[in-house]
């Protein structure tokens, strides 16, 4: 029977994390393995609260340093199972995500049956049942232009480059999925490495999936595995008044690492050109601008 190490990363959301753990305990029933909670140096009593919960089969670790999403999950992956052995699969679950009772089993069964697949991601939906867009294409120069322009004819012309296409309604191979609920083959991680800890937040999953794809591993969006997700609880993304610097730093690192400095500059130039088209459309159509405050200035500042 395949073994699974379920990792839940906590940062100052102890109550929410506890709910995720309790959902994961139910979803892990009948599956060999364990659950590890990693507190990412919350310094708010989270570690003590979660350690005192006393869940059977659940280990709580302290990272000792908030290095971001990838670094925190790497702490759990490197720790392995409680007996010191390595699992067959690593399952990453967000602290604000709650798997259905069969959600993990469905992913395990899929990877068991498809040895060429390295990643299996769940169908993510909100508390109201509405699906979240969590299946994506890899970013490119064309996608930077299309995403910034926000203009119908351009999107139609570059539809094959859109990073967030229409969500599949059947189990489908994709480029990458969001890390809210994803099962990863441990053999693959041995070969391609763990999360790149240069990324603090954002683009770390994209980078990992791209390394997997380049090594010949497929990624699949599995609609039968369903997970309810609240979203942006730890990151506060919904309340951003301005895009934080670490988003721009992660974007730059992704493009430069995987495509080179010249490609990264070209991607930024494409984004700026797209913003110009969008800005012109806003003026001509007298519509409110949706670009975050100071976005262009921040983009340029972090790109040179």
């Amino acid at each position: 029977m395949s073994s699974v190490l379920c990792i839940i990363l906590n940062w100052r959301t102890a109550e929410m994390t506890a709910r995720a753990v309790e959902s994961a305990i139910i979803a892990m029933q009948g599956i060999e393995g364990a659950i590890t909670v990693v507190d990412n140096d919350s310094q708010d009593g989270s570690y003590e609260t979660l350690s005192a919960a006393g869940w059977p089969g659940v280990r709580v670790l302290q990272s000792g340093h908030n290095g971001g999403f990838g670094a925190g999950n790497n702490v759990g992956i490197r720790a392995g199972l409680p007996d010191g052995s390595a699992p067959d699969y690593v399952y990453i679950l967000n602290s604000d995500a709650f798997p259905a009772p069969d959600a993990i089993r469905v992913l395990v069964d899929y990877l068991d049956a498809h040895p060429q697949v390295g990643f299996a991601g769940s169908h993510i939906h909100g508390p109201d049942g509405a699906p979240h867009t969590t299946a994506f294409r890899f970013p490119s120069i064309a996608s930077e232009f299309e995403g910034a322009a926000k203009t119908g004819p351009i999107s139609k012309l570059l539809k094959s480059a859109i990073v967030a296409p229409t969500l599949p309604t059947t189990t489908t191979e994709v480029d990458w999925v969001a890390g809210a609920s994803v099962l990863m083959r441990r053999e693959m991680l041995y070969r391609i490495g763990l999360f790149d800890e240069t990324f603090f937040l954002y683009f770390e999953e994209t980078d990992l999936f791209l390394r997997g794809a380049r090594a010949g591993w497929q990624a699949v969006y599995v609609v039968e595995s369903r997970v309810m997700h609240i979203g942006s609880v730890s990151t506060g993304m919904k309340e951003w008044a301005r895009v934080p610097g670490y988003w721009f730093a992660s974007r730059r690192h992704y493009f430069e690492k995987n495509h080179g400095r010249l490609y990264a500059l070209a991607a930024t130039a494409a984004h700026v050109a797209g913003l110009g088209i969008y800005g012109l459309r806003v003026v001509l159509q007298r519509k409110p601008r949706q670009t975050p405050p100071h976005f262009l200035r921040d983009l340029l500042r972090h790109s040179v």
Side-chain angles (χ1 to χ4, degrees):
M1 178 183 296
S2 298
S3 59
V4 176
L5 172 61
C6 170
I7 300 173
I8 303 173
L9 185 64
N10 174 78
W11 192 73
R12 300 184 176 180
T13 58
E15 183 178 349
M16 187 75 69
T17 299
R19 288 177 53 196
V21 170
E22 288 161 4
S23 294
I25 289 172
I26 295 172
M28 284 286 288
Q29 288 181 2
I31 300 174
E32 181 181 342
I35 298 171
T36 294
V37 178
V38 178
D39 179 66
N40 221 10
D41 198 26
S42 297
Q43 299 186 13
D44 68 343
S46 287
Y47 175 70
E48 293 76 13
T49 298
L50 295 167
S51 297
W55 294 295
V58 177
R59 177 175 50 171
V60 180
L61 302 178
Q62 172 56 256
S63 72
H65 167 67
N66 182 13
F69 179 83
N73 279 296
N74 283 349
V75 170
I77 297 171
R78 292 189 181 106
L81 293 169
D83 64 2
S85 64
D88 296 302
Y89 303 126
V90 172
Y91 176 63
I92 301 296
L93 180 68
N94 270 16
S95 61
D96 56 355
F98 314 100
D102 65 344
I104 301 175
R105 166 62 67 186
V106 167
L107 297 180
V108 171
D109 288 346
Y110 193 90
L111 287 192
D112 280 348
H114 300 84
Q116 76 280 11
V117 177
F119 304 93
S122 301
H123 168 89
I124 309 295
H125 61 87
D128 59 355
H132 290 185
T133 301
T134 54
F136 305 101
R137 295 190 181 105
F138 293 126
S140 64
I141 292 173
S143 75
E144 288 288 297
F145 179 64
E146 183 279 328
K150 300 183 181 69
T151 302
I154 291 175
S155 294
K156 185 176 181 179
L157 179 66
L158 299 176
K159 62 181 180 180
S160 63
I162 296 173
V163 169
T166 301
L167 198 63
T169 56
T170 59
T171 293
T172 306
E173 182 179 354
V174 296
D175 282 351
W176 65 283
V177 299
S181 170
V182 57
L183 188 71
M184 304 183 291
R185 196 177 296 275
R186 188 66 178 88
E187 175 191 356
M188 175 192 67
L189 295 177
Y190 275 131
R191 297 183 183 183
I192 69 172
L194 306 185
F195 287 104
D196 180 347
E197 298 184 13
T198 304
F199 298 99
F200 179 75
L201 197 60
Y202 298 101
F203 291 90
E204 62 277 277
E205 303 117 302
T206 320
D207 172 74
L208 187 67
F209 277 75
L210 181 58
R211 282 187 277 136
R214 287 175 170 174
W217 297 97
Q218 296 175 8
V220 175
Y221 173 72
V222 182
V223 299
E224 294 82 7
S225 171
R226 299 181 63 84
V227 173
M228 194 270 278
H229 185 220
I230 296 177
S232 303
V233 174
S234 292
T235 66
M237 185 178 183
K238 292 178 180 178
E239 287 76 42
W240 282 354
R242 184 173 180 175
V243 178
Y246 58 75
W247 184 90
F248 294 101
S250 291
R251 174 190 173 276
R252 174 177 176 172
H253 179 57
Y254 173 82
F255 278 121
E256 290 189 354
K257 172 186 176 181
N258 292 299
H259 300 290
R261 177 67 171 152
L262 290 179
Y263 190 102
L265 290 172
T268 296
H271 201 117
V272 172
L275 287 175
I277 292 174
Y278 173 68
L280 179 62
R281 185 166 66 87
V282 165
V283 171
L284 293 177
Q285 297 179 352
R286 298 182 180 181
K287 290 184 176 182
R289 183 181 294 272
Q290 297 178 356
T291 307
H294 311 294
F295 182 86
L296 177 58
R297 183 173 66 186
D298 290 341
L299 174 66
L300 294 173
R301 182 164 61 89
H302 286 86
S303 298
V304 296

